[in-house]
């Protein structure tokens, strides 16, 4: 998911030391639990059932990272939805808080036992939205709660006993990491069509992505988003603070830029929605916003990560999925339409050197647990420019992770003229019976029927799985030209020596002069180039290249040849 984190606590300290600067009348929501996993089982308020009850722990480390201080009032609770229910649903929400020194969720599964030691901080009507994004609740009609500096238990009881319930579930962003070695959340929903509140909750790892609020004099904007990407512009949106302030300041820059070192925008024209121009195509950015109030400014909210439009790539095209979302390198994932079989594709940061990674730190993964149907989740590549009758090789590395199962994996490799499943009309390979945790390379050839932009898809086709889990891991995806056949490559005697290499690389092509040489990394970035050599052999220093896989491409005598290079 796109990330939003809390930056700095200097303003909080200033307001605590000098409360007379401005009357405190607003709530600032800071993320205390982040995560890119999702759940539709009532971890956050669920409008498809009449009653949802949940209790989760926010650790002391998470509270500190979010900037909460000893003695601070907690005045609101927020969640974030990845998918919306079909209609808004209105009911009563009771919210409970409890200071604790616990390091895991050691609450009872009995609801009455759970809430007995807790403080009722809010008891008021609320509407669960039929929209994606942030859902913030400012506490009302409850006791004031003061944070004592360690972990916090958060519980809510949402009851919609008199109004229509939604026909479809919402889906909340969650963190599925264990807390203190155990489940971080307990939750339960009433049965479909029932008004009877559940009394026994069940444990889960999927804590909802959550925000807690505290009172401030000048609240920052919330619900940051971006969309309508173009090559040099995109549209940024946010919800202004409840008091509005006198204006907005915006700062943006390349992903992970240092706040204060980016490009700023301010003034009367900076309002949501805001069209941000001056971007570079195929680029990942972060942005921050803050509220300007009379005599003060809010904390920054951000970073929110977004992209300019990824234009179709020329050959060779390579990626090793080195970022947190597919959109950050121009790819797209499509969930199984039923949404009930397995997990969706996601880039996973396993870490450099992990056996689940072939190159870099990330790989793309998808899988299933126990299932009775074939999986049907897709990833679709960034567009690639091809010409009529051009022959290309599509290759990638694949491994399989099986846990307590003997079910083998499967996939389909496809190609089409659109970045959606419906356009993936040509199947290049249907693979089944895959197993083994070691990476193997798969290569297929495709001839473009006409000039155009082509997209390559990988469909998870893992069959029904009666036990355990099975995952597919994909890395080092490449589309390279095959204008020369294997015989022609041999004719040109195109060699790389040594390969793998670490210091020096010798590139030779028989008796054909090399007019241009390029080395690209697995994200398609040009890292080395040599032009107008007009020689049959080039010696190149590669000591500055990081360990990993690269593509070496040479132009000669009207031909373009590619070879894979491993740097260690």
């Amino acid at each position: 998911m796109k990330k939003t984190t809390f930056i700095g606590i200097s303003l909080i300290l200033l307001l605590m030391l000098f409360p007379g600067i401005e009357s405190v009348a607003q709530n600032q929501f800071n993320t205390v639990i982040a995560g890119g996993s999702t759940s539709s089982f009532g971890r956050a308020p669920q409008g498809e059932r009449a009653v949802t009850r949940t209790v989760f722990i926010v650790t002391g480390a998470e509270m500190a990272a979010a900037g909460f201080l000893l003695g601070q009032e907690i005045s609101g609770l927020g969640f974030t939805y990845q998918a919306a229910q079909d209609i808004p649903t209105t009911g009563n929400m009771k919210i409970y808080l409890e200071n604790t020194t616990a390091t895991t969720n050691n609450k009872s599964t009995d609801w009455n036992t759970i809430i007995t030691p807790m403080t009722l901080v809010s008891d008021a009507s609320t509407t669960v939205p039929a929209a994606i994004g942030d859902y913030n609740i400012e506490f009302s009609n409850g006791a004031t709660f003061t944070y004592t500096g360690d972990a916090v238990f958060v519980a809510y009881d949402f009851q919609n006993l008199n109004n229509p319930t939604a026909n479809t579930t919402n889906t909340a962003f969650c963190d599925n990491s264990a807390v203190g070695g155990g489940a971080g959340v307990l939750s339960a929903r009433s049965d479909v069509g029932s008004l009877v509140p559940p009394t026994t909750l069940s444990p889960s790892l999927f804590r909802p992505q959550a925000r807690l609020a505290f009172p401030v004099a000048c609240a920052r904007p919330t619900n940051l988003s971006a969309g309508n990407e173009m090559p040099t512009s995109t549209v940024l949106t946010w919800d202004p603070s409840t008091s509005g302030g006198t204006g907005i300041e915006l700062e943006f820059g390349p992903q992970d830029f240092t706040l204060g070192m980016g490009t700023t925008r301010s003034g009367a024209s900076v309002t949501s929605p805001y069209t941000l121009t001056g971007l570079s195509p195929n680029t990942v950015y972060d942005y921050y916003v803050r509220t300007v109030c009379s005599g003060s400014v809010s904390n920054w909210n951000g970073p929110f990560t977004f992209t300019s439009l990824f234009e179709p790539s020329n050959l060779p095209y390579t990626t090793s999925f080195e970022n947190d979302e597919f959109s950050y390198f121009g790819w797209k994932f499509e969930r199984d339409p039923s949404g009930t079989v397995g997990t969706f594709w996601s880039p996973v940061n396993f870490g450099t050197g992990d056996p689940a990674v072939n190159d870099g730190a990330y790989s793309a993964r998808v899988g299933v647990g126990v299932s009775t149907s074939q999986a049907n989740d897709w990833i679709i590549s960034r567009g690639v420019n091809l010409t009529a009758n051009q022959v290309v090789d599509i290759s990638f590395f694949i491994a399989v992770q099986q846990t307590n199962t003997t079910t083998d994996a499967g996939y389909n490799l496809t190609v089409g003229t659109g970045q959606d499943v419906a356009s993936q009309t040509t199947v290049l390979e249907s693979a089944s019976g895959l197993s083994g945790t070691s990476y193997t390379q798969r290569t297929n050839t495709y001839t473009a029927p006409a000039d155009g932009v082509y997209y390559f898809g990988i469909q998870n086709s893992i069959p029904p799985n009666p036990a355990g889990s099975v995952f597919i891991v994909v890395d080092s995806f490449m589309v390279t030209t095959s204008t020369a056949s294997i015989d022609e490559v041999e004719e040109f005697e195109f060699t790389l020596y040594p390969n793998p290499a670490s210091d020096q690389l010798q590139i030779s092509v028989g008796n054909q002069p090399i007019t241009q040489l390029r080395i690209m990394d697995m994200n398609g970035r040009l890292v080395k180039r040599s032009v107008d050599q007009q020689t049959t052999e080039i010696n190149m220093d590669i000591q500055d290249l990081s360990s990993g896989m690269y593509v070496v491409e040479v132009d000669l005598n009207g031909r373009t040849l590619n070879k894979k290079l491993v740097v260690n």
Side-chain angles (χ1 to χ4, degrees):
M1 65 168 279
K2 294 180 174 64
K3 61 184 179 181
T4 303
T5 57
F6 173 71
I7 302 296
I9 61 173
S10 58
L11 181 61
I12 302 172
L13 291 170
L14 182 64
L15 291 172
M16 293 180 69
L17 292 172
F18 303 103
I21 291 177
E22 192 171 341
S23 61
V24 174
Q26 304 177 47
N27 290 309
Q28 176 167 302
F29 286 82
N30 287 352
T31 299
V32 290
I33 300 174
S37 299
T38 60
S39 174
S40 58
F41 295 108
R43 316 307 180 197
Q46 175 60 263
E48 182 256 354
R49 303 291 177 94
V51 182
T52 309
R53 287 174 164 173
T54 292
V55 60
F56 57 90
I57 188 171
V58 182
T59 68
E62 289 168 333
M63 293 294 290
F68 282 86
L69 304 174
L70 174 69
Q72 199 164 39
E73 178 185 345
I74 297 179
S75 54
L77 173 64
F79 305 93
T80 302
Y81 293 111
Q82 184 261 349
Q85 57 193 46
D86 61 330
I87 61 170
T89 51
T90 299
N92 191 79
M93 177 85 77
K94 291 183 178 180
I95 299 173
Y96 304 83
L97 296 178
E98 179 186 352
N99 289 298
T100 181
T101 59
T103 57
T104 189
N105 192 342
N106 56 11
K107 282 286 190 179
S108 165
T109 59
D110 177 74
W111 179 250
N112 288 329
T113 304
I114 288 170
I115 63 173
T116 295
M118 303 185 76
T119 301
L120 178 63
V121 295
S122 188
D123 185 1
S125 176
T126 187
T127 298
V128 179
I132 62 173
D134 292 352
Y135 167 47
N136 292 329
I137 307 156
E138 296 184 334
F139 294 164
S140 175
N141 196 31
T144 299
F145 183 85
T146 302
Y147 176 55
T148 60
D150 209 319
V152 175
F153 282 121
V154 181
Y156 72 82
D157 181 3
F158 175 69
Q159 298 195 19
N160 171 18
L161 305 182
N162 300 308
N163 300 305
T165 56
N167 300 298
T168 61
T169 61
N170 58 39
T171 302
F173 280 112
C174 296
D175 172 27
N176 67 344
S177 302
V179 180
V185 63
L186 301 167
S187 61
R189 301 172 294 167
S190 57
D191 294 335
V192 174
S194 172
L195 301 180
V196 179
T199 58
T200 302
L201 279 59
S202 299
S204 171
L205 294 177
F206 284 73
R207 289 185 302 161
Q209 182 182 122
R211 290 175 300 282
L212 292 174
F214 53 86
V216 294
C218 185
R220 62 188 185 177
T222 59
N223 208 18
L224 278 60
S225 189
N228 195 26
E229 296 89 353
M230 303 297 287
T232 59
S233 69
T234 194
V235 176
L236 308 180
T237 61
W238 57 84
D239 293 340
S241 66
T242 53
S243 67
T246 61
I248 292 289
E249 291 183 355
L250 182 151
E251 184 171 341
F252 72 97
Q255 186 182 23
D256 297 327
F257 81 97
T258 300
L259 188 61
M261 302 296 291
T263 303
T264 58
R265 297 280 191 271
S266 61
S269 64
V270 183
T271 59
S272 178
Y274 177 72
T275 300
L276 181 63
T277 58
L279 305 179
S280 298
N282 319 320
T283 305
V284 186
Y285 293 92
D286 287 337
Y287 84 95
Y288 299 78
V289 288
R290 68 180 177 183
T291 305
V292 178
C293 297
S294 176
S296 65
V297 293
S298 74
N299 288 73
W300 290 101
N301 197 355
F304 185 92
T305 305
F306 67 98
T307 72
S308 57
L309 183 68
F310 276 79
E311 298 178 311
S313 172
N314 294 323
L315 293 178
Y317 171 68
T318 64
T319 184
S320 58
F321 309 107
E322 297 299 309
N323 216 319
D324 294 321
E325 289 196 20
F326 287 113
S327 62
Y328 295 171
F329 35 86
W331 283 53
K332 179 180 179 182
F333 75 90
E334 287 201 20
R335 187 76 170 97
D336 172 18
S338 69
T340 59
V341 181
T343 63
F344 50 81
W345 285 92
S346 59
V348 179
N349 185 353
F350 289 102
T352 303
D354 190 276
V357 175
N358 183 67
D359 181 69
Y362 287 73
S363 56
R365 186 176 71 167
V366 70
V368 301
V370 176
S371 63
T372 57
S373 302
Q374 178 176 295
N376 183 28
D377 296 286
W378 292 73
I379 46 174
I380 304 173
S381 76
R382 176 180 172 185
V384 179
N385 291 316
L386 300 179
T387 58
N389 300 314
Q390 185 171 15
V391 183
V392 293
D393 290 333
I394 307 96
S395 64
F396 55 88
F397 286 80
I398 188 168
V400 178
Q401 300 171 332
Q402 296 166 301
T403 303
N404 299 323
T405 185
T406 58
T407 301
D408 291 333
Y411 70 86
N412 292 317
L413 175 68
T414 62
V415 64
T417 54
Q419 199 179 31
D420 58 86
V421 170
S423 300
Q424 295 295 300
T425 54
T426 301
V427 177
L428 302 178
E429 181 188 16
S430 291
S432 60
L434 303 177
S435 62
T437 57
S438 298
Y439 271 106
T440 59
Q441 187 175 27
R442 313 284 290 201
T443 301
N444 288 270
T445 300
Y446 176 67
T447 303
D451 292 356
V453 179
Y454 293 84
Y455 302 83
F456 297 91
I458 303 177
Q459 178 194 19
N460 171 19
S461 61
I462 296 173
N465 179 44
S469 64
V470 53
F471 283 81
I472 296 171
V473 188
V474 171
D475 206 353
S476 306
F477 183 94
M478 294 179 281
V479 183
T480 54
T481 183
S482 291
T483 52
S485 68
I486 293 175
D487 290 340
E488 290 170 325
V489 171
E490 291 176 351
E491 173 190 342
F492 289 119
E493 299 178 359
F494 180 23
T495 61
L496 305 177
Y497 181 82
N499 191 8
S502 56
D503 299 320
Q504 296 291 320
L505 177 67
Q506 182 184 85
I507 305 100
S508 59
V509 206
N511 60 1
Q512 298 293 325
I514 300 172
T515 58
Q516 206 170 152
L517 180 148
R518 296 170 293 276
I519 300 180
M520 277 77 62
D521 67 14
M522 292 307 299
N523 289 311
R525 293 184 293 256
L526 181 67
V527 295
K528 290 279 188 180
R529 186 179 186 185
S530 180
V531 297
D532 297 327
Q533 291 289 323
Q534 298 299 327
T535 180
T536 62
E537 184 176 290
I538 296 175
N539 291 295
M540 182 170 285
D541 186 348
I542 59 168
Q543 294 184 73
D544 58 333
L545 296 184
S546 302
S547 298
M549 183 171 292
Y550 296 83
V551 175
V552 179
E553 185 175 78
V554 295
D555 296 337
L556 65 158
N557 194 29
R559 303 284 189 182
T560 299
L561 307 179
N562 299 288
K563 270 188 179 291
K564 300 176 184 69
L565 167 68
V566 176
V567 175
N568 56 22

